[in-house]
Amino acid sequence: MGKVTGFMEFERIEEGYKPVPERVKHYREFIIGLSDEQARVQGARCMDCGIPFCNSGCPVNNIIPDFNDLVYRQDWQDAFTVLDSTNNFPEFTGRICPAPCEAACTLNFNDDPVGIKSIEHAIIDRAWENGWVEPRVPRIKTGRKVAVVGSGPAGMAAAQQLARAGHDVTLYEKNDRIGGLLRYGIPDFKMEKHHIDRRVKQMEAEGVTIRTGVMIGELPKDSKVTNWAKETISAQQLQQDFDAVVLTGGAEQSRDLPVPGRELDGIHFAMEFLPQQNKVNAGDKVKGQISASGKHVIVIGGGDTGSDCVGTSNRHGAKSVVQFELMPMPPEQENKALTWPYWPYKLRTSSSHEEGCEREFAIATKEFTGEKGKVTGLKTVHVEMKDGKFVEIPGTEKEYKADLVLLAMGFVSPVASILEGFGVDKDARGNAKASTDFHGGYVTNVPKVFAAGDMRRGQSLVVWAIREGRQAARAVDEFLMGFSDLPR
């Protein structure tokens, strides 16, 4: 694939970023994509490696060597056809996927991997520009009705695949717009929301009925989960009205930090903070918006959500931003001989970190401190792992000033009341219990109720959600029709 000697002749080319002083003034995307020639050179680096580990490294099993070769030959339309055959939304993954395919690239064993993500990004952007992305309206309608609950990437993928199979699909979303965490979790500077909007138009043209502001079941009164629903439909009603139900509501229950002082004002979950800014960017008015402007901000949690809080806080005009991570600082370079072709453990520095952030590793928060009911700081200690437990290191206690604390420690499970409303069994982690067997996969203990995405597998990547949505759609189609032509 690509040029036979390309991997020896050409270096990896990274996508560019607009300068930090310019991009922190707005919430628009700032990545500078590859030119046609740069993409061609990247495609040329793809090796004829015999076993393309990148294919299995990619959760949706993109046919990567094929589209790399087509881009090298500048056959962009066929490259899009190949990419579109396995991935419903390459514009999402081409922007926000961490690219496990690149970690699995054969060239990555002793060199820099092929820039697969940047090539994917280039292909889909050209496809939209040239009008190649069109609705795929089914020629025959089956008369079967399917409800998909939750419109994140898993729900969107499941709904689109089922509509293309000819079923009457209704996609329910409790919030006011489609997209789930794509819409209200990921900042606009990482992915602008017009990418979701044009997919929504495509799905509607394919026959998907979209209903926003509808809550299926009940949320607990004390829930911190974002909910702008204006209507509630019971789980029983949905089961009565549809031939199949697919639960793709995500793992929205944020992990809390129950230490002294947690009740102080100014301590918020990341998913209280981030959705508000996305709504403001969309032109909505948010009463009492959580702002980092002029504040000392502490972000607790070293993952992608924490990084998103860092970037958003800097755009608010925070006085300082510090990010905590409980785990020790990873090595700057992974041990490739040990980890390849799997996802490596190494230090990852995001574009948000580069915009201004102090990072602390192996640190635990012991207490929040405050005055007059508002947080003013926190007390920490450094920790180390001994016998499988974190142990405090004496003499490392420290106090940090904090006017705003954002908890970004991941998500523990779906909202339990939703699963309980349907009577769906949960696994040990509180997720919907459903197997991924080839036949009858993704089905729960409740007849005709399926589960996919983070609601089934737990907190994960957008690309995994798309995979689960596609596979669940095939399982539902097979359940309804006795067979399925949908790809897994």
Side-chain angles (χ1 to χ4, degrees):
M1 297 299 163
K3 187 178 182 182
V4 175
T5 57
F7 69 95
M8 295 186 290
E9 297 177 32
F10 305 118
E11 299 293 327
R12 176 184 169 96
I13 303 172
E14 299 280 358
E15 292 181 311
Y17 292 153
K18 292 181 180 177
V20 170
E22 175 185 337
R23 72 192 196 221
V24 294
K25 294 178 181 178
H26 61 75
Y27 293 89
R28 299 185 302 276
E29 292 177 14
F30 52 80
I31 289 179
I32 302 170
L34 302 182
S35 66
D36 283 9
E37 178 58 23
Q38 288 174 325
R40 191 188 73 81
V41 169
Q42 276 302 287
R45 297 185 72 237
C46 188
M47 306 168 67
D48 188 8
C49 57
I51 299 176
F53 290 92
C54 56
N55 285 10
S56 56
C58 172
V60 293
N61 303 123
N62 279 337
I63 311 169
I64 293 165
D66 293 47
F67 68 62
N68 283 345
D69 182 61
L70 289 163
V71 168
Y72 166 61
R73 300 178 190 284
Q74 295 290 277
D75 187 349
W76 289 95
Q77 190 162 3
D78 279 350
F80 165 67
T81 300
V82 172
L83 178 58
D84 185 59
S85 69
T86 56
N87 188 348
N88 293 67
F89 313 117
E91 63 271 39
F92 302 166
T93 53
R95 285 170 167 79
I96 59 177
C97 183
C101 56
E102 294 186 14
C105 175
T106 301
L107 190 56
N108 188 47
F109 183 75
N110 60 358
D111 200 346
D112 293 326
V114 175
I116 300 166
K117 178 180 174 180
S118 62
I119 293 174
E120 179 178 336
H121 186 181
I123 292 170
I124 189 59
D125 280 6
R126 281 156 182 76
W128 280 107
E129 289 167 7
N130 289 282
W132 301 333
V133 185
E134 297 179 329
R136 288 160 52 182
V137 182
R139 290 176 294 175
I140 300 173
K141 299 290 285 185
T142 67
R144 306 295 199 277
K145 297 170 62 180
V146 183
V148 179
V149 181
S151 72
M156 290 179 68
Q160 185 168 63
Q161 292 294 96
L162 287 164
R164 290 174 175 179
H167 305 303
D168 294 322
V169 180
T170 302
L171 179 60
Y172 291 95
E173 171 56 53
K174 70 179 181 300
N175 296 322
D176 56 349
R177 295 180 178 91
I178 294 297
L181 288 187
L182 287 170
R183 174 77 67 176
Y184 287 125
I186 294 169
D188 287 20
F189 56 80
K190 287 178 67 175
M191 192 187 81
E192 294 178 25
K193 305 314 176 226
H194 68 84
H195 300 296
I196 303 173
D197 296 335
R198 62 188 179 187
R199 283 296 183 179
V200 169
K201 291 180 180 178
Q202 181 195 33
M203 291 167 64
E204 289 177 329
E206 292 171 339
V208 178
T209 299
I210 292 176
R211 295 190 59 187
T212 57
V214 180
M215 181 70 203
I216 306 300
E218 297 285 347
L219 279 177
K221 292 182 179 180
D222 60 349
S223 174
K224 295 291 185 180
V225 171
T226 305
N227 179 20
W228 292 295
K230 297 180 180 179
E231 179 185 356
T232 299
I233 299 177
S234 70
Q236 292 72 24
Q237 187 65 50
L238 215 64
Q239 290 170 279
Q240 178 180 319
D241 293 345
F242 290 88
D243 298 304
V245 178
V246 188
L247 303 179
T248 57
E252 296 185 276
Q253 201 67 51
S254 298
R255 180 174 282 107
D256 208 344
L257 185 59
V259 299
R262 172 64 180 88
E263 74 284 353
L264 293 167
D265 288 342
I267 304 171
H268 302 275
F269 289 117
M271 290 310 299
E272 295 176 85
F273 176 67
L274 295 173
Q276 291 186 353
Q277 185 57 56
N278 284 6
K279 284 186 70 67
V280 170
N281 293 345
D284 297 348
K285 292 183 179 180
V286 176
K287 185 177 180 180
Q289 181 185 1
I290 303 166
S291 175
S293 177
K295 295 179 180 178
H296 296 285
V297 180
I298 302 289
V299 178
I300 300 179
D304 289 339
T305 303
S307 172
D308 294 343
C309 290
V310 170
T312 302
S313 296
N314 280 327
R315 283 161 178 76
H316 280 193
K319 186 174 292 185
S320 68
V321 183
V322 182
Q323 184 179 23
F324 290 171
E325 169 56 57
L326 183 64
M327 300 297 291
M329 183 176 176
E332 292 192 11
Q333 293 293 329
E334 73 269 34
N335 184 339
K336 292 185 177 183
L338 179 66
T339 62
W340 180 88
Y342 301 107
W343 186 246
Y345 177 64
K346 68 175 184 178
L347 181 66
R348 303 178 193 279
T349 300
S350 73
S351 58
S352 291
H353 293 140
E354 294 169 353
E355 292 164 1
C357 172
E358 180 185 344
R359 303 171 74 182
E360 291 285 351
F361 293 89
I363 190 170
T365 302
K366 297 191 67 175
E367 179 184 356
F368 297 110
T369 58
E371 295 177 3
K372 299 180 180 179
K374 293 185 178 181
V375 67
T376 57
L378 46 78
K379 296 180 180 180
T380 67
V381 64
H382 279 281
V383 295
E384 61 181 348
M385 183 73 76
K386 286 186 177 180
D387 299 325
K389 296 181 180 180
F390 286 107
V391 178
E392 296 182 5
I393 302 174
T396 62
E397 295 81 2
K398 186 176 179 180
E399 293 191 30
Y400 285 83
K401 187 172 183 179
D403 308 305
L404 175 64
V405 178
L406 301 172
L407 305 180
M409 301 175 294
F411 304 90
V412 294
S413 65
V415 177
S417 61
I418 308 301
L419 298 179
E420 291 163 1
F422 282 92
V424 170
D425 287 346
K426 292 177 281 187
D427 65 16
R429 296 185 298 160
N431 302 319
K433 190 174 182 179
S435 71
T436 57
D437 294 338
F438 187 78
H439 293 290
Y442 295 88
V443 67
T444 69
N445 62 296
V446 181
K448 75 180 186 181
V449 176
F450 297 74
D454 289 5
M455 181 165 267
R456 190 201 70 83
R457 66 178 284 116
Q459 174 189 345
S460 191
L461 304 176
V462 167
V463 68
W464 271 108
I466 294 172
R467 172 195 171 100
E468 293 242 332
R470 287 172 62 89
Q471 293 195 334
R474 179 185 169 92
V476 172
D477 188 37
E478 192 174 72
F479 165 74
L480 294 173
M481 306 304 293
F483 69 97
S484 180
D485 291 328
L486 288 175
R488 282 176 62 87

